[in-house]
Amino acid sequence: MSRRMRKEEICPLGMTAAELTEGECKKTPEGLLQRNGLGVHTSANGMTYIGSWLNDKMNGTGRLEHPSGAVYEGEFKDNMYHGAGTYTFPNGAKYIGPFNENKMEGEGDFVDENGVVWTGTFNGTKAAGLKHKLKM
């Protein structure tokens, strides 16, 4: 059974329903409420997630906004950046490409804070052999 949560209900992990501003929840066989479907969650530290939930985890497509100003928009799997996505750093630089369990991994582009685009193969925080991508 899927339904909207009321403010007095408690979600797993100690999060109150008041933190989940809008979204769908369903009861587990154990009687716990889990976020499932589309929803918006704002945590006590100011982090906001807008997107898909499955079994109380960020799964599918969404947008995660950090209090620092950093933003990830793309695919999630089990609360991790996983799949195609864009991570924008607080200074405005961004990485566009694949993620694997929160790590930049594979062929992607890095756009620095001046708008210069670099392309190459990323492996976590390393990107050996980045090349300047010319606009033509």
Side-chain angles (χ1 to χ4, degrees):
M1 179 175 137
S2 186
R3 62 185 176 84
R4 295 221 182 267
M5 291 180 12
R6 295 189 311 264
K7 290 191 181 203
E8 65 273 10
E9 294 175 314
I10 303 294
C11 275
L13 308 175
M15 292 178 272
T16 65
E19 288 181 303
L20 181 62
T21 34
E22 186 178 321
E24 296 293 319
C25 279
K26 69 179 182 182
K27 221 173 234 190
T28 67
E30 296 80 26
L32 297 172
L33 287 175
Q34 285 188 339
R35 293 167 285 199
N36 280 283
L38 296 176
V40 178
H41 174 83
T42 302
S43 67
N45 70 1
M47 198 174 316
T48 300
Y49 174 73
I50 304 161
S52 298
W53 295 89
L54 180 65
N55 299 327
D56 213 41
K57 292 184 179 180
M58 297 177 286
N59 274 292
T61 304
R63 177 182 172 91
L64 184 63
E65 301 170 355
H66 298 265
S68 68
V71 175
Y72 173 79
E73 192 160 6
E75 298 173 358
F76 288 82
K77 181 181 176 189
D78 295 333
N79 285 341
M80 292 184 284
Y81 311 149
H82 194 83
T86 299
Y87 185 91
T88 305
F89 296 86
N91 69 355
K94 63 175 71 174
Y95 166 78
I96 305 161
F99 286 80
N100 184 18
E101 296 182 351
N102 286 340
K103 295 180 184 103
M104 300 177 278
E105 195 167 292
E107 292 296 316
D109 290 339
F110 179 80
V111 183
D112 68 23
E113 60 272 13
N114 298 313
V116 178
V117 182
W118 301 86
T119 190
T121 303
F122 290 77
N123 186 6
T125 58
K126 298 178 183 99
L130 278 182
K131 295 183 177 144
H132 184 238
K133 193 172 187 177
L134 298 174
K135 294 180 185 175
M136 295 189 166

